[in-house]
Amino acid sequence: MVGGNWKCNGNLAFAKSFPAEVLNTLKFDPKKVDVVVAPTALHLSTVQANTKNNVHVATQNLSLTGDGAFTGEFSVGMIRDMGVTHTLTGHSERRSLFGETDQDVAVKTKIAIENGMNVMVCIGEQLEERETGKTDEVNARQLQAVADELSEGQWGNVVVAYEPVWAIGTGKVATPQVAQETHAEIREWLAANVSKEAAATVRILYGGSVSDANAAELIAMEDIDGFLVGGASLKPAFH
Ligand code: 13P
């Protein structure tokens, strides 16, 4: 899977031109690779309307609430009504800038899956946590919250996006070895705490300063099953 996360970027003109100029020219076998793009909620329907190949359009977030008096939110029912089948949850920017807890992320993941969606759950450690040897502990804690909410079978609709926070938007990509080691730990965690099947089938994406310059050496690693791309997903290089 290759995902593009536009974050809070783009405008109406871009939401029309990027599908025409980049997304619709991608050549890939949709049976072998899922390509997913997550524009802002405002631009989502324009991107949907202008994307003509097998690229999935995703939301970056969803509400913990259903429909009702929840100003500024959008519910999973609305997302499904728009024909959207994929979403991110737990992006580190949601966690660190907007106060989402492990529990919020886990419940959002469950709500999305119970409504038939495929979820890219983002996890990852801060720089200080990496430097103090806490990476695996942090990932395990974030995953455990999700596991507490999901049945074993629901992991079939989960993709884990490992995004070390120190690598996001910094140009400091994890080396293939560092990313591989952490992905292998995540897979072991899934085997021990969810099921062997989940460990074998859940795709683990790497995110954090992925670009056309480093994607090839990262994807060569055994436990890296794709990418979640931020900045470079807004450029022709997403190609
Ligand atoms: P960058 O690719 O800009 O580092 O962002 C990664 C990311 O946060 C994707 O969700």
Side-chain angles (χ1 to χ4, degrees):
M1 173 181 279
V2 180
N5 174 10
W6 287 13
K7 309 191 178 185
C8 191
N9 293 294
N11 57 27
L12 184 56
F14 184 79
K16 290 178 183 163
S17 65
F18 196 77
E21 288 163 18
V22 179
L23 299 179
N24 294 343
T25 67
L26 297 178
K27 293 206 170 32
F28 63 98
D29 180 349
K31 289 196 208 81
K32 294 196 179 138
V33 55
D34 284 321
V35 180
V36 184
V37 60
T40 75
L42 272 181
H43 299 122
L44 184 142
S45 55
T46 305
V47 174
Q48 265 181 324
N50 287 281
T51 300
K52 307 260 182 273
N53 61 6
N54 292 298
V55 174
H56 303 285
V57 179
T59 44
Q60 299 173 12
N61 186 22
L62 70 146
S63 181
L64 276 171
T65 70
D67 295 4
F70 305 108
T71 302
E73 296 292 311
F74 55 90
S75 70
V76 72
M78 294 170 188
I79 296 172
R80 298 296 286 130
D81 185 48
M82 294 295 293
V84 174
T85 52
H86 290 67
T87 190
L88 308 182
T89 58
H91 192 279
S92 68
E93 289 147 19
R94 302 270 354 134
R95 294 176 188 264
S96 66
L97 303 175
F98 299 100
E100 287 196 14
T101 64
D102 294 342
Q103 171 74 6
D104 293 336
V105 173
V107 173
K108 287 184 177 191
T109 302
K110 181 192 174 86
I111 290 170
I113 290 175
E114 288 190 338
N115 284 276
M117 299 189 74
N118 300 293
V119 184
M120 290 165 271
V121 185
C122 305
I123 62 167
E125 82 286 3
Q126 308 268 350
L127 180 60
E128 195 201 322
E129 293 164 336
R130 162 74 52 182
E131 286 174 342
T132 51
K134 297 210 175 88
T135 298
D136 297 334
E137 186 188 316
V138 169
N139 287 335
R141 191 196 74 224
Q142 294 179 349
L143 287 167
Q144 185 63 55
V146 176
D148 288 345
E149 293 294 333
L150 300 188
S151 67
E152 193 189 316
Q154 287 175 322
W155 282 85
N157 296 96
V158 172
V159 172
V160 174
Y162 168 60
E163 302 207 299
V165 178
W166 45 270
I168 294 179
T170 58
K172 282 191 209 145
V173 64
T175 63
Q177 291 71 26
V178 164
Q180 165 58 28
E181 264 173 38
T182 310
H183 281 226
E185 281 289 339
I186 292 167
R187 214 176 282 294
E188 270 178 41
W189 187 92
L190 290 169
N193 296 280
V194 181
S195 66
K196 292 231 156 45
E197 196 196 332
T201 55
V202 170
R203 287 170 286 183
I204 307 175
L205 312 184
Y206 170 79
S209 297
V210 174
S211 72
D212 49 340
N214 54 39
E217 56 178 9
L218 286 161
I219 203 65
M221 307 311 287
E222 186 182 348
D223 289 299
I224 300 183
D225 304 316
F227 301 116
L228 187 55
V229 185
S233 76
L234 296 156
K235 300 192 181 131
F238 188 57
H239 213 270

